[in-house]
Amino acid sequence: MKFAQIILPLNLKGTFTYKVPAELAEKIEIGMRVLIPFGGKKIYTGIVFDLHDLAPENFEPKEIINLLDDSPILPKEQISFWTWLSEYYLCNIGEIYRFAFPSSLKLESETYLKLKSGATIDFQNLDVNEMYLIQALEVRQLINLTEIEAFIPKKEIVKTIKSLIDLQYIEIDEKIAEKYKAKEIAFLKINEEEVSNKSLAQILLLLKKAPKQQELFLLLLEKHTENPEKTIKKSDVFEDGNFAHSQLKSLLEKNLVVEYYLQKDRLQKYEGEIEDLDSLTDAQLEAKAEIDKAFDEGKNVLLHGVTSSGKTHLYLDQIEETIEAGKNVLFLLPEIAITKQIVQRLEKKYGKQLGFYHQKLTDFERVEVWRSVKNNDLKILIGTRNALFLPYQNLGLIIVDEEHDSAYKPREVSPFFNAKDATQVLAKMYDAKVILGSATPSVESYYLAKKEKLAYVFLGERFGNVKLPEFELINFKEEQDSKKIIGNFSLKLIEEIKKELDRKKQTMILHNRRGYANVIECESCGYVNYCSNCDVVMTYHKFSNEMKCHYCGQKASKPKVCPKCNSENLNERGVGVEQIHEEMMKIFPEAEVDRMDVDSMRKKFAYEKLYEKLEEGETDILVGTQMISKGLDFENIELVAIPRADSMLYVQDFRAEERAFQLITQVSGRAGRISGEGKILIQTYNPQHSVFQLIKENDPAKIYEHFLEERKKFLYPPFVKLIMIELKHRKEDKVNRASQFLGSIFHKYLPSECILGPEKSPIGKLNLMYQYQILLKLPRGKNYNEYKNLVLKSFEEFDEITAYQSIKKMIFVDF
C-alpha cells in the first residue's frame, strides 16, 4: 500500500496523508497535482509532497480521487524551496501553495461532474445516494459539489463520488474544472475543393441575389489569391467591409468558405528586429572581472553601482553568457510598471525568448507563462517576487535589481517573506548564481558584503565618465524668517527651477506624501476626521474633493462644517503631493506641470502616456512621490528638488534614515545622466542633520558606517534577527488579553531582553481589527535556530487555548 503526503491550498499546518489507489500507484510522482477529498464535502487540488509506505496509526486515511497531471507540474527544487520558506518564515506550506499557483491550476469545490460517455449503469447495485446522483446527472448533465449537497448528506458526498468514479459511471469535467481555456482566434479561408469544382461565373451567379455575400466572397478570394499561405483573420474581414455575420453564415452553409480556429498566446511578444549589445566600458569590464571571479569562487554578488553607472549593461552581459551556456535567467524587479526601458533593451536582444510574470497579468495569462516556463520555451523571465515560484527547468542566473526596495518584502500579502533573501536560497537549490544590484544597497546586504558572505563589486563612476549630481542644502527656516518663500518653496529653489525652464530643461520635484493635505482640522474645537475603520486621520484629496483612508480605502466627502461644533472654520493641515503640484502650476502658469503618484496613475496606460510626454519633452516639471525615483532615464532632466525633505525622517521606523538616504539618492540619479550637470536641491528645516550632511558628502562607505553604528548601538538588524508578531481581533479587550498571554509564554522560554511588548500597535485599529504587537530581538548565529524553535513552541502552546482561536496571528520574520 502506498501513501502520499499532500499539500493543500489552505492555511493549515503541515501536509496531509492520503492513500494512493492501486490504479494510480505506478503513475503518481512527487510534484503532481491530485484531486483529494477534505473535510465532510470539500474537494481540493493538492500537490504530492512525498510518497511512502508507512500507514498512519491513529486514523484511516482517505483515498486520492484522481491525478490531474501526466508528469510533475512542480520541480523538486521548488518543493525544497517551499519547505525552506515555510520553516524560515514560520508560515504554513499551504499558504505558499495558495500564493504560488495561478487560481486556474487549482481545482476546488466548484469542480463539475458528468456521466461518463458510453457507461452502462447497473441501477440494482447502486445505493440510494449513488442513484440520486446518477438521476440528477441524467437531467442536468453537469453538477458541481455545492449543488450535490441538496440531495446527498454532506458526510456521504465524497464517498458517493469516489464509488461512482471507481465504477466508471461518472467523471470530472476537466474542461470546466481546470478553469483555464486557451485563447482561440477565428480565421477564414476559401474552400478550394468546392471552388475548384465551379467556375467563378457559376459562383457569382449563385450569389447574384445576395450582393453583400458576393462582395464578401470576392474580398476573401482576393486576399487568398494575393497570398495563399497567409491566414485571414475573421475580425479583420469585418473591419475591411460593412458585412453582417448572417452573410458570412450563408457562405459557410454554401460551403464556399471555411471557418477555423487557432490558439493564440494572450501575452504580446516582441516581433521587431533583434539587436546586439554594446561593448562594455573599461570600468564595467573591471566590474565584470570581479563578478566572474566571485562566481568562480561560488559566491553571490552585491553590485553597488552609482546611479547611471551602467549596472543594466552588466546585467545584460551576464544574461548573454548564461543563455550561451544553455541556462535560463530570472530577472526580478520590485515593480513591473517601471521597467519600460530595460524591457525594451532586452526585447531587442532576445525577442520571443523573453517572458513576464507579475500581479497585473490575468489568471489565464499567468497559466500561459507557467506552462511556457515548464516547457522551457522562455530563456529570460522578468517578474516581481511571485515569479520566484515558477517551475524553472534549468535556472542559471537570478538578478535582483533595486535589491534595497521594500516591495520585495510587503506586509500586505501572505506569506510574508523577503524575496531578496529567498532568491539566494532558490539559487542554491538550482545551483544558480545571484547578482543583487542597487545604487543604494540595504544596510543588511552591505554588512554581509563587508563580512565577505557576499562578494562586493563597486561601480563608482557614471557611464561615459559623466559627473555625479551636485547636492545643495537650503535652510528653509532661514528662508521663512527672511520671508523669502512662496508656499512650500523658497525663492532660491523657485529661481533654480526658472533657470531650468529658460534653458528648456526638465525638473523633477519629489514629495513622498499622497493627497493634498494630511488632515482637515477645525480651528474652533480641534476636531479632525478619523477613519471609522482605522485609527488614522483621513487624507484630503483636492482633485477628487474627498477624504480618503490610505489604509483601508474608505472614502468620505469633505466636510463643509465641523461635525462636532458646526463651525465653518476648517483648515487644511500638512502638505501632500497634490498641493505641491498645485503650487507649481500657480508659480509657473506657462509651464507644463504633471503629477505622478498612485492616484494619478490609476487609469489604464496613464504611466505610458506620461512617460511619452517626458520623452518628447512636453512635460516641463514633474511632481511626484517615490514613483519618480526609479525607472525614468531622460537626458533633459538636470534639476531635482525636494521641498520638504524632513518629512522622510520623522517616521516610526528604525529604517527611516536608511530609506530617506535611499530615496534621495535614487531620485538624484535621474538628474544629469547625459550632461553631467545634475543638481539636487534639498530644502530642510535641519540642514545639519547627519543624513543630509552625509548625502552631501556623497561618500557611500561613510554613510553605511554611520547606519551600522546606529544599528549596533540600539541592537537592530543586521546585528540581531527580528520577529514581529501582530495579533488582531474585532474586540480590543480580547486581543489585549491574548497578547498578554502570548507575552507571558515568551517570557517562559526566552530571555526578557529579547522581548519588547506586548503593546498596542502604532496604528491601534486597522480595518475594524484592533492590533497588538510583540517584537522579538533574537541573537544571530548558531543559537538563532534554537531560539526560533522556542518561539514555535510558544506558538503551539498559545494555539492550544480554545478561547484565542479566533485571534488572527501574523508573523513577520526579518521584517
Side-chain angles (χ1 to χ4, degrees):
M1 183 68 69
K2 190 180 277 189
F3 297 89
Q5 295 304 123
I6 305 297
I7 306 169
L8 290 176
L10 302 171
N11 189 6
L12 298 172
K13 189 175 179 181
T15 58
F16 297 83
T17 307
Y18 283 83
K19 192 187 296 181
V20 180
E23 65 272 17
L24 301 180
E26 297 301 317
K27 300 176 185 176
I28 194 167
E29 294 181 52
I30 292 171
M32 281 184 170
R33 291 178 306 156
V34 292
L35 201 62
I36 48 94
F38 185 76
K41 60 171 183 174
K42 292 278 188 180
I43 286 184
Y44 288 100
T45 297
I47 297 285
V48 181
F49 177 78
D50 193 20
L51 294 167
H52 56 85
D53 55 7
L54 298 174
E57 296 178 2
N58 303 324
F59 65 95
E60 179 64 27
K62 296 176 181 178
E63 275 196 357
I64 291 169
I65 295 172
N66 207 353
L67 291 177
L68 295 179
D69 302 305
D70 296 326
S71 61
I73 195 170
L74 201 67
K76 63 181 186 300
E77 292 88 353
Q78 280 289 353
I79 292 176
S80 301
F81 180 52
W82 289 16
T83 305
W84 176 83
L85 280 173
S86 172
E87 291 172 355
Y88 187 83
Y89 289 102
L90 305 179
C91 61
N92 294 319
I93 200 164
E95 277 185 277
I96 299 166
Y97 173 26
R98 191 168 57 187
F99 175 81
F101 261 60
S103 298
S104 299
L105 293 180
K106 300 190 294 260
L107 297 175
E108 294 192 8
S109 289
E110 290 307 304
T111 300
Y112 283 77
L113 302 171
K114 67 179 181 180
L115 289 173
K116 192 162 186 178
S117 179
T120 304
I121 298 168
D122 182 1
F123 284 94
Q124 291 184 351
N125 290 323
L126 298 182
D127 65 24
V128 175
N129 292 329
E130 291 166 352
M131 195 174 295
Y132 282 158
L133 182 50
I134 294 293
Q135 288 171 345
L137 285 169
E138 286 176 335
V139 176
R140 293 278 303 279
Q141 280 81 51
L142 289 170
I143 294 181
N144 67 30
L145 302 189
T146 307
E147 292 168 334
I148 294 172
E149 288 178 35
F151 51 87
I152 295 180
K154 291 180 182 178
K155 291 182 180 179
E156 301 296 322
I157 288 176
V158 171
K159 176 187 167 188
T160 303
I161 292 171
K162 180 70 173 65
S163 172
L164 292 174
I165 286 175
D166 288 345
L167 289 167
Q168 297 191 19
Y169 290 169
I170 67 170
E171 61 185 358
I172 293 160
D173 188 83
E174 292 291 348
K175 287 182 183 176
I176 296 176
E178 277 278 9
K179 299 181 191 175
Y180 169 74
K181 291 179 182 176
K183 186 176 182 179
E184 292 184 329
I185 306 294
F187 292 89
L188 302 173
K189 66 179 179 180
I190 296 292
N191 187 345
E192 292 183 11
E193 187 178 338
E194 183 69 23
V195 171
S196 63
N197 294 330
K198 295 182 177 73
S199 68
L200 181 58
Q202 287 176 308
I203 294 171
L204 294 178
L205 186 62
L206 178 67
L207 301 175
K208 185 179 178 181
K209 293 182 180 179
K212 289 302 288 184
Q213 289 182 38
Q214 193 180 86
E215 185 184 340
L216 177 55
F217 174 76
L218 288 172
L219 175 64
L220 292 171
L221 186 63
E222 181 187 352
K223 287 178 178 288
H224 175 74
T225 307
E226 286 173 2
N227 188 349
E229 301 300 319
K230 189 176 180 182
T231 55
I232 306 169
K233 196 187 288 187
K234 181 178 174 180
S235 58
D236 291 346
V237 171
F238 283 96
E239 284 177 14
D240 290 347
N242 186 22
F243 301 113
H245 285 273
S246 59
Q247 289 145 11
L248 173 61
K249 186 180 178 185
S250 296
L251 289 179
L252 292 170
E253 288 171 353
K254 291 181 174 84
N255 212 17
L256 296 172
V257 176
V258 176
E259 183 176 12
Y260 63 101
Y261 294 85
L262 293 176
Q263 285 190 12
K264 187 180 187 301
D265 283 350
R266 288 177 169 81
L267 304 173
Q268 297 297 314
K269 293 189 177 179
Y270 182 74
E271 301 287 349
E273 295 291 322
I274 302 298
E275 298 178 3
D276 290 328
L277 299 175
D278 297 329
S279 301
L280 297 176
T281 64
D282 290 341
Q284 289 169 343
L285 284 169
E286 285 180 28
K288 173 183 162 45
E290 291 180 53
I291 292 170
D292 291 340
K293 183 185 175 188
F295 285 162
D296 290 341
E297 293 172 356
K299 283 187 176 180
N300 293 328
V301 172
L302 174 62
L303 177 59
H304 181 181
V306 297
T307 52
S308 194
S309 59
K311 293 185 294 297
T312 304
H313 207 155
L314 277 170
Y315 297 155
L316 297 175
D317 185 78
Q318 290 295 330
I319 288 170
E320 178 82 350
E321 290 187 2
T322 306
I323 301 296
E324 285 178 359
K327 298 206 167 187
N328 303 336
V329 178
L330 169 60
F331 195 126
L332 279 190
L333 294 155
E335 297 173 51
I336 208 69
I338 61 167
T339 62
K340 184 170 181 179
Q341 285 168 322
I342 191 166
V343 165
Q344 285 175 342
R345 292 174 75 177
L346 284 167
E347 278 184 331
K348 287 177 181 177
K349 174 62 186 170
Y350 297 106
K352 292 182 180 180
Q353 297 181 91
L354 180 69
F356 304 90
Y357 196 78
H358 50 84
Q359 289 301 112
K360 289 189 177 180
L361 296 180
T362 66
D363 199 69
F364 287 175
E365 287 171 340
R366 280 183 234 167
V367 172
E368 288 180 1
V369 176
W370 183 284
R371 290 180 173 172
S372 294
V373 171
K374 185 177 181 296
N375 296 334
N376 211 19
D377 295 332
L378 299 176
K379 299 301 178 188
I380 306 167
L381 198 287
I382 297 178
T384 50
R385 70 182 199 133
N386 53 346
L388 285 171
F389 298 96
L390 290 169
Y392 301 102
Q393 302 301 306
N394 195 17
L395 197 57
L397 174 68
I398 305 178
I399 296 167
V400 184
D401 195 28
E402 307 293 354
E403 68 88 31
H404 66 279
D405 201 292
S406 59
Y408 285 125
K409 50 176 180 178
R411 291 179 60 171
E412 298 79 32
V413 183
S414 66
F416 310 107
F417 66 95
N418 187 335
K420 177 191 68 177
D421 296 339
T423 291
Q424 297 178 67
V425 176
L426 180 67
K428 192 174 181 180
M429 290 165 177
Y430 278 95
D431 196 24
K433 301 161 185 173
V434 177
I435 299 176
L436 307 175
S438 177
T440 53
S442 65
V443 171
E444 288 86 346
S445 294
Y446 184 87
Y447 178 78
L448 288 175
K450 191 178 175 185
K451 290 287 182 182
E452 298 186 350
K453 291 184 178 178
L454 287 172
Y456 181 71
V457 177
F458 184 62
L459 200 55
E461 65 178 50
R462 279 183 154 186
F463 185 79
N465 283 320
V466 173
K467 275 176 31 180
L468 287 164
E470 171 195 341
F471 287 87
E472 185 179 338
L473 300 173
I474 298 173
N475 191 325
F476 195 57
K477 188 174 188 310
E478 288 181 1
E479 299 293 306
Q480 273 184 326
D481 292 343
S482 306
K483 297 186 178 177
K484 294 179 180 178
I485 65 166
I486 298 177
N488 291 287
F489 295 89
S490 63
L491 294 181
K492 185 174 183 179
L493 198 154
I494 291 169
E495 185 59 34
E496 290 289 340
I497 296 173
K498 188 176 184 305
K499 284 180 188 175
E500 295 302 302
L501 291 172
D502 292 341
R503 294 171 59 223
K504 304 296 181 188
K505 297 292 182 181
Q506 295 167 305
T507 298
M508 291 175 70
I509 298 174
L510 171 71
H511 184 62
N512 202 25
R513 287 283 184 278
R514 286 172 60 196
Y516 185 86
N518 296 352
V519 65
I520 301 289
E521 183 183 37
C522 174
E523 289 289 303
S524 302
C525 69
Y527 173 84
V528 294
N529 195 3
Y530 270 84
C531 172
S532 59
N533 297 334
C534 313
D535 278 350
V536 291
V537 291
M538 298 184 83
T539 304
Y540 173 50
H541 288 250
K542 190 172 184 179
F543 182 75
S544 56
N545 196 34
E546 60 189 2
M547 310 294 291
K548 289 183 185 178
C549 174
H550 290 165
Y551 289 89
C552 72
Q554 189 184 51
K555 297 177 183 179
S557 57
K558 182 191 176 186
K560 293 179 180 177
V561 296
C562 174
K564 189 175 180 182
C565 69
N566 290 323
S567 167
E568 294 182 2
N569 194 12
L570 299 176
N571 280 332
E572 296 150 1
R573 302 291 187 198
V575 180
V577 70
E578 287 182 17
Q579 192 173 146
I580 298 291
H581 179 240
E582 182 181 88
E583 286 181 3
M584 275 289 96
M585 288 194 293
K586 286 178 180 176
I587 295 168
F588 300 107
E590 301 301 317
E592 182 69 23
V593 185
D594 286 313
R595 191 177 101 232
M596 182 188 282
D597 60 3
V598 171
D599 303 295
S600 63
M601 295 291 106
R602 288 194 192 279
K603 288 185 180 177
K604 197 171 184 180
F605 303 122
Y607 184 88
E608 286 79 2
K609 287 175 184 173
L610 181 53
Y611 188 98
E612 197 172 306
K613 282 185 74 178
L614 284 162
E615 198 165 35
E616 297 297 324
E618 294 172 15
T619 297
D620 299 311
I621 301 170
L622 177 64
V623 179
T625 56
Q626 63 179 350
M627 287 183 79
I628 68 171
S629 69
K630 47 202 172 185
L632 301 177
D633 185 1
F634 301 108
E635 59 181 69
N636 269 337
I637 296 174
E638 292 192 351
L639 176 66
V640 171
I642 307 171
R644 299 184 70 91
D646 304 284
S647 62
M648 300 182 201
L649 296 172
Y650 307 126
V651 183
Q652 268 190 320
D653 187 347
F654 72 91
R655 289 194 173 92
E657 287 191 354
E658 178 191 1
R659 285 180 177 152
F661 155 70
Q662 288 168 340
L663 185 51
I664 292 171
T665 306
Q666 289 286 339
V667 78
S668 73
R670 307 306 112 202
R673 292 173 77 93
I674 305 296
S675 67
E677 297 176 8
K679 191 170 187 179
I680 317 302
L681 295 177
I682 301 174
Q683 198 171 263
T684 168
Y685 285 100
N686 186 11
Q688 298 308 313
H689 194 287
S690 55
V691 170
F692 296 140
Q693 289 296 324
L694 287 165
I695 288 172
K696 189 179 178 183
E697 285 183 43
N698 207 6
D699 184 345
K702 199 169 180 180
I703 197 162
Y704 279 103
E705 287 305 315
H706 165 75
F707 290 144
L708 287 169
E709 280 176 23
E710 291 285 304
R711 301 278 183 90
K712 192 171 186 178
K713 187 176 176 182
F714 296 104
L715 280 181
Y716 278 101
F719 300 99
V720 295
K721 290 273 195 178
L722 294 185
I723 298 178
M724 171 72 80
I725 300 99
E726 273 187 0
L727 301 179
K728 299 184 177 187
H729 198 271
R730 286 181 177 271
K731 294 181 180 177
E732 185 174 10
D733 59 338
K734 186 166 186 174
V735 72
N736 184 11
R737 288 197 308 272
S739 67
Q740 297 298 331
F741 178 67
L742 181 57
S744 68
I745 299 174
F746 282 141
H747 278 285
K748 191 164 67 173
Y749 294 114
L750 301 170
S752 294
E753 60 269 20
C754 293
I755 307 164
L756 294 178
E759 60 186 21
K760 201 169 186 176
S761 298
I763 300 174
K765 185 174 73 169
L766 199 63
N767 263 327
L768 298 174
M769 302 280 275
Y770 290 93
Q771 304 185 138
Y772 279 73
Q773 64 184 30
I774 300 171
L775 178 63
L776 303 179
K777 287 185 174 182
L778 305 178
R780 296 179 68 94
K782 295 178 182 177
N783 295 333
Y784 175 62
N785 284 335
E786 294 176 17
Y787 279 104
K788 207 167 178 184
N789 288 334
L790 292 173
V791 172
L792 278 172
K793 191 174 181 181
S794 302
F795 288 144
E796 287 170 6
E797 199 167 312
F798 176 80
D799 291 340
E800 286 174 4
I801 307 302
T802 308
Y804 296 145
Q805 285 179 357
S806 60
I807 300 287
K808 187 176 182 181
K809 182 169 82 258
M810 301 173 77
I811 304 164
F812 304 96
V813 177
D814 296 347
F815 78 101

